[in-house]
Amino acid sequence: MQKVLIIDDNPADSRLLADNIKERNAAVQIKVLNNSTDARNEFVDFTPDLTFIDISMPEKDGFQLLEELNSLPQRADNLIIVLSGYSDVGTLDMAMKLGADNYFVKPRTLDGYRKLAENISELDHLKEFIAL
């Protein structure tokens, strides 16, 4: 069973992403964290195959979290996608420099989350997680 970890301080965004992934692949196991404080331990304990990280979080931002997770041996078997409200090139570049495997801007609507899940499912390295 594939495992997905979603780290986002906005419960509504987390739920929309999780629900849309589950719609495409009911077998995937999803764990949601609405704070970044416990993210490192959860990453190690849950050992996800795919992790979504928000950039703007109060305790520890997504950049700090990317650096921390990239230093772990479990990172070798994990894909990390940044999902952020920031659409500027500087934020995208920083996330990619810190080791993100991909970057998507957060949608603003329910239909946007459906389209996001569809776009993610079309990426070759993610097809096993989110089947069409």
Side-chain angles (χ1 to χ4, degrees):
M1 173 183 299
Q2 301 296 337
K3 297 192 285 186
V4 174
L5 178 62
I6 300 171
I7 307 165
D8 191 328
D9 63 317
N10 185 322
D13 288 345
S14 301
R15 187 174 38 255
L16 284 169
L17 179 59
D19 290 350
N20 279 281
I21 292 171
K22 277 286 200 187
E23 277 181 22
R24 288 180 157 54
N25 184 349
V28 71
Q29 182 181 357
I30 299 176
K31 181 162 247 179
V32 174
L33 290 178
N34 290 125
N35 69 72
S36 57
T37 305
D38 302 324
R40 183 186 193 283
N41 291 338
E42 197 60 49
F43 187 86
V44 171
D45 295 341
F46 184 59
T47 60
D49 302 292
L50 173 61
T51 301
F52 289 93
I53 298 176
D54 183 24
I55 291 295
S56 181
M57 293 184 282
E59 300 89 10
K60 185 186 304 181
D61 70 29
F63 296 134
Q64 293 168 309
L65 191 53
L66 272 169
E67 286 183 304
E68 193 174 317
L69 297 182
N70 277 319
S71 70
L72 299 172
Q74 292 85 349
R75 172 62 172 111
D77 299 322
N78 181 279
L79 294 169
I80 295 179
I81 295 178
V82 170
L83 185 60
S84 175
Y86 296 113
S87 59
D88 62 285
V89 174
T91 302
L92 183 147
D93 284 346
M94 179 63 76
M96 299 307 281
K97 284 178 186 172
L98 292 173
D101 294 302
N102 216 318
Y103 188 104
F104 289 92
V105 176
K106 280 185 183 180
R108 300 191 192 285
T109 64
L110 177 59
D111 189 51
Y113 273 92
R114 285 187 186 114
K115 288 178 182 174
L116 173 67
E118 183 178 315
N119 289 338
I120 291 170
S121 71
E122 291 174 359
L123 297 173
D124 285 339
H125 61 285
L126 299 176
K127 285 183 179 176
E128 65 189 274
F129 299 103
I130 307 170
L132 290 175

